[in-house]
Amino acid sequence: MLKVIVIGCPGAGKSIFSKKLRDITNLPLYHLDMIYHKKDGTHISKEELEEKLKNIFKKEEWIIDGNYQRTLEMRLEQCDTIFLLDYPTEVCIEGAEARVGKKREDMPWIEEKLDLKFKQDIINFSNVKLPQIYDLLNKYKENKNIIIFKTREEADNYIRSI
């Protein structure tokens, strides 16, 4: 496990899981939200994001946390291990609501409220994005270590086990 991606619905706790994994493995951690978003709420271009990812791929080891469907396949091609946090929608909404107003190392600003569009993205995730993710995982399953958690407890138990 040298090149890891952590994916899942917004609010699932990808960043928290990634930080715990980093603390145990000492692999460098890159949060896609910190790479893509600027402090003023704007973001870099999708092309810039892809270039920054390509530079990370050149490193011998890393953890990349975040979904960003547009770059998912390129990350799947480069990684050796995939963690998918496939949690119920209610859990993800609760997770997103719980981080409102808190400073985070994985986001360049403090969320002041749960944006309605963002909440709708969470609600739609299991029907819209998740099938695409599983299709891609199926495509790469032969030569990747794929670990899927259905609950936070499963993820916590995994972290404790390593």
Side-chain angles (χ1 to χ4, degrees):
M1 180 168 50
L2 296 174
K3 297 181 177 186
V4 178
I5 65 170
V6 180
I7 56 177
C9 183
K14 295 179 298 294
S15 297
I16 292 169
F17 178 83
S18 297
K19 286 184 263 186
K20 290 176 181 177
L21 192 62
R22 171 201 62 201
D23 292 347
I24 291 168
T25 63
N26 292 315
L27 295 173
L29 172 57
Y30 302 92
H31 299 287
L32 286 181
D33 283 339
M34 286 299 287
I35 295 168
Y36 184 63
H37 294 289
K38 298 178 183 179
K39 289 182 181 180
D40 64 2
T42 62
H43 54 78
I44 63 176
S45 71
K46 293 181 180 4
E47 294 76 22
E48 284 178 275
L49 175 62
E50 289 177 12
E51 281 306 309
K52 288 181 183 278
L53 280 170
K54 288 175 185 173
N55 287 330
I56 294 169
F57 296 156
K58 293 175 187 173
K59 300 176 188 297
E60 290 186 30
E61 50 188 36
W62 39 259
I63 300 169
I64 300 174
D65 143 48
N67 246 28
Y68 292 80
Q69 214 86 348
R70 174 187 167 101
T71 65
L72 181 55
E73 189 157 13
M74 72 188 289
R75 286 178 282 133
L76 285 168
E77 290 170 353
Q78 298 294 321
C79 74
D80 57 46
T81 305
I82 302 148
F83 290 96
L84 170 60
L85 310 185
D86 181 4
Y87 300 162
T89 302
E90 324 63 77
V91 170
C92 297
I93 290 172
E94 288 171 11
E97 288 173 340
R99 66 189 189 197
V100 171
K102 296 179 180 166
K103 181 159 177 39
R104 301 163 39 200
E105 79 175 58
D106 60 303
M107 187 65 99
W109 65 78
I110 297 174
E111 295 170 293
E112 295 178 10
K113 64 182 174 115
L114 185 59
D115 178 75
L116 291 178
K117 183 192 175 310
F118 185 60
K119 185 174 182 179
Q120 192 60 51
D121 289 343
I122 296 171
I123 292 167
N124 294 338
F125 187 85
S126 63
N127 292 324
V128 177
K129 303 284 186 186
L130 203 53
Q132 297 169 7
I133 290 171
Y134 273 106
D135 285 346
L136 284 170
L137 292 181
N138 193 46
K139 178 178 176 180
Y140 289 93
K141 69 182 179 188
E142 296 304 319
N143 59 351
K144 306 293 178 184
N145 183 23
I146 301 172
I147 300 146
I148 300 170
F149 301 120
K150 296 289 190 173
T151 67
R152 292 191 196 285
E153 184 180 30
E154 288 177 0
D156 290 341
N157 288 340
Y158 178 87
I159 290 292
R160 278 194 291 279
S161 76
I162 57 172

